[in-house]
Amino acid sequence: MRHGLVCVECGAPVEELVRDYGKGNLRLAICSACNSVADKYVEYETILLFLEVLLLKPQVYRHALYNLPAPVSTRTTLKLFVILVMLDMNVKAYLVDRDAGVTFRSESMYRSSEISTSGARIGQFSLHLVCLALVENVVYFVSVFAAIWLDPFRRKWREKLLNEGINAAWTRYASAVCISSFGKLFALLTVIWEFHWSFIHVMGALVVVSNVLALQLLLGEGNPARAKSLHVVAVVGFGLIARGAAQLVLYAMGNSVLFHVLV
């Protein structure tokens, strides 16, 4: 019997998600606290789970955080993080290409009179944007985790995460933030359609709300369907400030471009 399973509707602990009555007769378990199906998502395909994540449903986040058949591994979390970095790079490339939502230095390589369509030049641009996206995401992830670890509001967050050790705590945290950041996939629409660059702010707001939702469930800060935890909002806000500060520091140190977006 697995430990740590929860009802996706009310968050109460449950002993099982599927009950076996023998002879192949399986039924979804019922939560004794709310009398609802404990986890309807055990029957969902991956693509449907992904769509539910984008719709910001707390139930699917509980499923992803607690009820997956196997916990998200460190390797899988790293893969998710790499995907997020590449999505961020795509956003930055879009803004640079449109010359919108960015500030260039006068000597910026993006302002160079050299032919910018050569393979080497495009590779240089891409590597630069990937490095920027990597640094910003690392700063965001580390700063939010540090705020949770320091627990300035005395909410016993550290104890809640350390049930399975520090490595498991980091993996659970990072996977929660990665999964809740996949609203950035909307950035791929810029490859197909033309949008005003302010669309990136809408996408960023979606990601921030998703991050708050996932962290609130991970840290046990009440039911996000009723109200968002101001403590978790403050922690995510701190991460955004740290990310913005990282951009400013890099620009002050000579980075050739400053982006007017935080997510």
Side-chain angles (χ1 to χ4, degrees), residues 49-72:
L49 290 175
F50 173 72
L51 292 175
E52 295 279 290
V53 166
L54 293 182
L55 292 174
L56 303 179
K57 293 191 175 182
Q59 295 89 339
V60 73
Y61 281 92
R62 286 195 181 100
H63 171 80
L65 293 175
Y66 298 103
N67 295 349
L68 289 178
V72 179

Side-chain angles (χ1 to χ4, degrees), residues 166-187:
I166 181 62
N167 291 332
W170 170 257
T171 301
R172 286 187 63 200
Y173 156 76
S175 62
V177 177
C178 285
I179 292 171
S180 62
S181 296
F182 267 82
K184 293 182 180 182
L185 281 172
F186 285 116

Side-chain angles (χ1 to χ4, degrees), residues 16-86:
E16 57 188 355
L17 303 178
V18 178
R19 180 160 296 179
D20 187 355
Y21 291 94
K23 298 182 179 180
N25 186 11
L26 302 176
R27 293 289 186 273
L28 295 179
I30 302 299
C31 173
S32 59
C34 65
N35 293 321
S36 300
V37 173
D39 191 348
K40 61 185 178 182
Y41 294 108
V42 296
E43 296 184 324
Y44 278 42
E45 297 291 337
T46 302
I47 185 63
L48 295 178
L49 290 175
F50 173 72
L51 292 175
E52 295 279 290
V53 166
L54 293 182
L55 292 174
L56 303 179
K57 293 191 175 182
Q59 295 89 339
V60 73
Y61 281 92
R62 286 195 181 100
H63 171 80
L65 293 175
Y66 298 103
N67 295 349
L68 289 178
V72 179
S73 65
T74 301
R75 183 175 181 179
T76 300
T77 301
L78 287 174
K79 291 179 180 179
L80 293 175
F81 181 76
V82 169
I83 293 173
L84 288 183
V85 170
M86 298 310 296

Side-chain angles (χ1 to χ4, degrees), residues 6 15 45 81 85 87 90 113 143 153 156 162-163 172 198 216 226-227 238 253 260:
V6 302
E15 295 182 355
E45 297 291 337
F81 181 76
V85 170
L87 290 173
N90 180 75
S113 59
S143 59
F153 305 110
K156 298 183 179 180
L162 281 180
N163 290 333
R172 286 187 63 200
S198 58
Q216 185 170 346
R226 297 179 180 176
F238 171 73
M253 293 174 62
H260 302 167

Side-chain angles (χ1 to χ4, degrees), residues 87-105 108-110 125-126 128-134 136 197 200-201 240 243-252 255-263:
L87 290 173
D88 268 355
M89 187 276 286
N90 180 75
V91 170
K92 295 181 185 302
Y94 173 79
L95 295 176
V96 167
D97 183 59
R98 299 297 185 277
D99 194 5
V102 294
T103 298
F104 295 106
R105 288 186 178 277
S108 171
M109 65 179 180
Y110 297 101
F125 292 162
S126 299
H128 178 243
L129 295 178
V130 167
C131 290
L132 289 180
L134 177 62
E136 291 176 18
W197 75 272
I200 304 300
H201 289 305
L240 293 176
R243 180 170 181 153
Q247 281 199 48
L248 292 174
V249 169
L250 290 174
Y251 190 70
N255 186 39
S256 58
V257 60
L258 177 67
F259 294 91
H260 302 167
V261 293
L262 291 178
V263 179

